[in-house]
Amino acid sequence: MNRSLNVVITGAGSGLGAAMARRFAAEGHAIAVTDVIPERAAAVNAELQGQGARSFSQVLDITRDADWAELHHRVMQEWGGIDVLINNAGVAAAGLFEESPLSDWEWVLAVDLMGVVRGCHTFLPLFRQQAAAGRKGHIVNIASFAGLSGMPGISAYGTAKAGVVALSEHLHTELRDCGVGVSVICPAFVQTNLLDEFRASDPSYRQRVERWMKQSGVTADDVANDVMRAVRKNRFLVLTHKPTRWAWRLKKWWPSRYYRMVALQSATSRRSS
Ligand code: NAI
């Protein structure tokens, strides 16, 4: 897709979402900067407009149907259609399964999984209608490597993200020949504000995630570049961190060895925190 695109991004007021907003705007695309925190969405929108981008900001809590309906209305009013939907907004929780309260499960599943379902549900009829008239579209879902691999201490988050991977795969098959591409992005750690709302059963999880984010070597801008490439080349599964590409292959080809390696790494990281 080489023309100027209309791109909706959820959670675009911070981290990966803000980086994607900047990246797509830099290529001349129009951006709907949405976030549950109005000030965040407004600040990124002001920055983009200051650089001459075509953008607007809209408050969107991805767990609220009424907010999605309002966003759909605004998109039609401003642009008359959509080309790319990036379901990015998310939250994170950690703790061993029996230490994680059901309220954490409900929170993470409502935002990280059902928020993505709601986004697709809101815009898919429009995507299909446009595609039937020859206008191709693309849905990008931001999952996580935690959605591809079980690890101790993140069962709620990992289950929600595995759901996003599964949903994306089902959509990929359903939409295959109708002109709507689907990508699912599975990053490992990236330094962002994800820990602002982080819930964990004990403080050691936060310390470990902070350390892994600092050591990541992959920035939000790198992930934004990968997302841009995935849309351009219509790539389905994108692993943004080199070590996870290797780990993903090992898990598929040699699962028993992979799970031994995960157990060993987890024990080492618990001891050093
Ligand atoms: P972030 O916290 O910097 O950005 C997330 C944005 O989503 C925030 O601006 C927040 O206000 C917004 N948000 C939270 N709940 C919302 C809701 N109910 N409705 C609308 N917006 C909401 O975090 P980050 O890292 O940029 O997260 C983006 C996505 O990347 C998330 O889905 C996260 O799970 C995923 N991810 C992040 C990784 C990391 O290490 N930072 C690794 C793998 C995946």
Side-chain angles (χ1 to χ4, degrees), residues 93-111 155-157 159-160 199 201:
L96 291 178
F97 179 80
E98 68 276 21
E99 295 166 351
S100 305
L102 285 179
S103 53
D104 281 6
W105 272 86
E106 279 162 359
W107 177 63
V108 165
L109 289 170
V111 179
S155 55
Y157 182 73
T159 300
R199 297 184 187 178
S201 56

Side-chain angles (χ1 to χ4, degrees), residues 17-266:
M20 289 184 272
R22 291 182 189 111
R23 182 71 182 86
F24 278 81
E27 298 283 325
H29 303 307
I31 315 292
V33 183
T34 77
D35 204 285
V36 70
I37 301 179
E39 299 75 26
R40 282 188 172 178
V44 172
N45 183 46
E47 180 194 324
L48 299 186
Q49 288 186 341
Q51 289 159 5
R54 289 177 303 119
S55 64
F56 66 87
S57 73
Q58 173 92 12
V59 180
L60 170 80
D61 177 344
I62 60 168
T63 68
R64 292 192 69 236
D65 291 333
D67 285 10
W68 279 109
E70 257 179 57
L71 177 64
H72 187 284
H73 180 74
R74 180 92 187 266
V75 162
M76 294 311 284
Q77 205 177 35
E78 299 269 347
W79 297 334
I82 182 175
D83 298 297
V84 181
L85 167 66
I86 306 183
N87 286 304
N88 160 76
V91 292
L96 291 178
F97 179 80
E98 68 276 21
E99 295 166 351
S100 305
L102 285 179
S103 53
D104 281 6
W105 272 86
E106 279 162 359
W107 177 63
V108 165
L109 289 170
V111 179
D112 290 0
L113 177 55
M114 285 309 293
V116 176
V117 172
R118 287 193 155 82
C120 295
H121 217 257
T122 302
F123 282 106
L124 201 48
L126 178 59
F127 272 120
R128 267 202 197 270
Q129 191 189 326
Q130 293 178 164
R135 179 176 178 174
K136 290 190 171 174
H138 205 100
I139 297 172
V140 179
N141 294 330
I142 308 295
S144 164
F145 188 64
L148 293 174
S149 168
M151 297 167 218
I154 48 163
S155 55
Y157 182 73
T159 300
K161 293 300 189 178
V164 174
V165 173
L167 166 70
S168 306
E169 196 170 344
H170 288 291
L171 288 177
H172 182 51
T173 61
E174 282 185 19
L175 300 172
R176 194 171 171 78
D177 299 318
C178 89
V180 183
V182 177
S183 299
V184 60
I185 316 296
C186 294
F189 294 98
V190 184
Q191 185 85 63
T192 65
N193 295 313
L194 193 62
L195 286 172
D196 284 5
E197 300 293 323
F198 185 65
R199 297 184 187 178
S201 56
D202 82 69
S204 71
Y205 286 104
R206 174 178 289 275
Q207 287 157 12
R208 265 178 278 165
V209 175
E210 270 170 359
R211 192 173 70 231
W212 289 329
M213 280 181 166
K214 276 197 193 105
Q215 294 169 348
S216 152
V218 172
T219 65
D221 291 341
D222 295 331
V223 175
N225 280 333
D226 285 346
V227 170
M228 175 65 86
R229 207 170 304 120
V231 172
R232 276 198 186 132
K233 305 203 165 199
N234 195 14
R235 291 212 173 115
F236 175 61
L237 178 67
V238 177
L239 289 117
T240 56
H241 293 52
K242 206 171 170 188
T244 62
R245 293 198 277 275
W246 174 84
W248 175 231
R249 280 189 206 111
L250 181 64
K251 181 185 162 177
K252 276 196 296 190
W253 294 335
W254 209 347
S256 55
R257 185 162 184 178
Y258 176 75
Y259 290 121
R260 256 202 316 278
M261 185 194 79
V262 170
L264 203 73
Q265 281 178 351
S266 304

